[in-house]
Amino acid sequence: MDEGKRVGEVARATGLTVRTLHYYDEIGLLVPSARSDAGYRLYRAADLQRLYRIMRLRRIGMTLDDVKRALDDADWPLETTLGRHLDQLDRQLAATQRLRASLGAVASTVLASAAPSTQDLLTVLEDMTMIDTTVQRRIPGLVYADIEAAYHYLTDVFGLEPGRLDRSDDGIVRHGEVGAGDGVIWLHCVSPQFGLDSPLHTGVETAGLSIMVDDVDAHYLKVKATGADIAYELADMPYGVREYGVRDLEKRLWSFMTALD
């Protein structure tokens, strides 16, 4: 009998956080099919199949609501998702193999102390372009001095979707992810090596994010009730949105908005 895997085991295997799996359970996206005698969540094979599809659909940018609708649709069985995943990997592998062959031909020519032909070099450039320009998604990255605190603030106060948290051997969170509608945001640690720092330290910021929400008035009231630092009040803007601004724990400015009718 399939006794199932506990939530911690599933979290470690997938890179998701226990918090994220609990959230999926709360919203009915992934409800474990069993409980242990002590009341712990147990994920069986059917649950893991569903989780595979969730992770796959999230990777292509679908929102949690869209993922749930897709999984509840009889036209989205597991074999369809697996087939599409395999097709995508086959295309990526084929492009990589073509580049490998063209690079090998040029390398052989150079090793023979000859100059590669214009056509050989052009082939390499074409194959590189086919791989390099296959843009699949955008992933903005925000730098935080305390990623774990920022993660909880963004999910608890701003209502962003909880994602993964990766810790180093010393237990400190070095990478985090939160969902924002059709995409994911990476939370990056401060890195002097790459000139990355938080507005908490610099006193300025050079980038911000604008998030579209269903009801900005309700979002504003909820966020303001937490005592968050409102940067500018809710108002109708001349560029067609109703919007307000708020700063997070490290003084980064976020804009939340809803399109005006």
Side-chain angles (χ1 to χ4, degrees), residues 122-135:
L122 183 60
T123 299
V124 169
L125 292 173
E126 289 175 344
D127 291 338
M128 288 173 60
T129 301
M130 290 184 67
I131 294 176
D132 293 342
T133 59
T134 306
V135 178

Side-chain angles (χ1 to χ4, degrees), residues 66-139:
D66 288 340
V67 168
K68 190 173 188 304
R69 281 192 289 269
L71 294 183
D72 292 339
D73 187 338
D75 293 333
W76 279 81
L78 176 63
E79 56 267 25
T80 300
T81 307
L82 287 169
R84 292 178 179 176
H85 196 174
L86 287 170
D87 288 343
Q88 180 186 3
L89 290 175
D90 286 342
R91 290 193 296 271
Q92 292 173 341
L93 287 171
T96 302
Q97 288 169 352
R98 286 194 298 272
L99 177 58
R100 174 67 178 81
S102 57
L103 278 175
V106 170
S108 296
T109 300
V110 172
L111 287 173
S113 299
S117 70
T118 301
Q119 182 57 50
D120 286 343
L121 291 172
L122 183 60
T123 299
V124 169
L125 292 173
E126 289 175 344
D127 291 338
M128 288 173 60
T129 301
M130 290 184 67
I131 294 176
D132 293 342
T133 59
T134 306
V135 178
Q136 296 180 346
R137 66 190 305 202
R138 69 205 180 286
I139 305 178

Side-chain angles (χ1 to χ4, degrees), residues 23-84:
Y23 181 67
Y24 287 176
D25 186 3
E26 290 172 9
I27 64 175
L29 180 61
L30 179 65
V31 179
S33 56
R35 294 270 181 168
S36 69
D37 293 339
Y40 294 113
R41 294 171 173 83
L42 294 176
Y43 295 80
R44 291 178 173 164
D47 305 322
L48 297 180
Q49 288 181 17
R50 186 175 177 89
L51 181 56
Y52 164 79
R53 284 178 284 183
I54 291 169
M55 295 180 68
R56 175 62 187 155
L57 295 176
R58 287 292 287 158
R59 183 162 292 184
I60 63 174
M62 290 181 67
T63 67
L64 291 180
D65 286 341
D66 288 340
V67 168
K68 190 173 188 304
R69 281 192 289 269
L71 294 183
D72 292 339
D73 187 338
D75 293 333
W76 279 81
L78 176 63
E79 56 267 25
T80 300
T81 307
L82 287 169
R84 292 178 179 176

Side-chain angles (χ1 to χ4, degrees), residues 136-149:
Q136 296 180 346
R137 66 190 305 202
R138 69 205 180 286
I139 305 178
L142 301 178
V143 179
Y144 286 97
D146 187 335
I147 294 175
E148 187 166 11

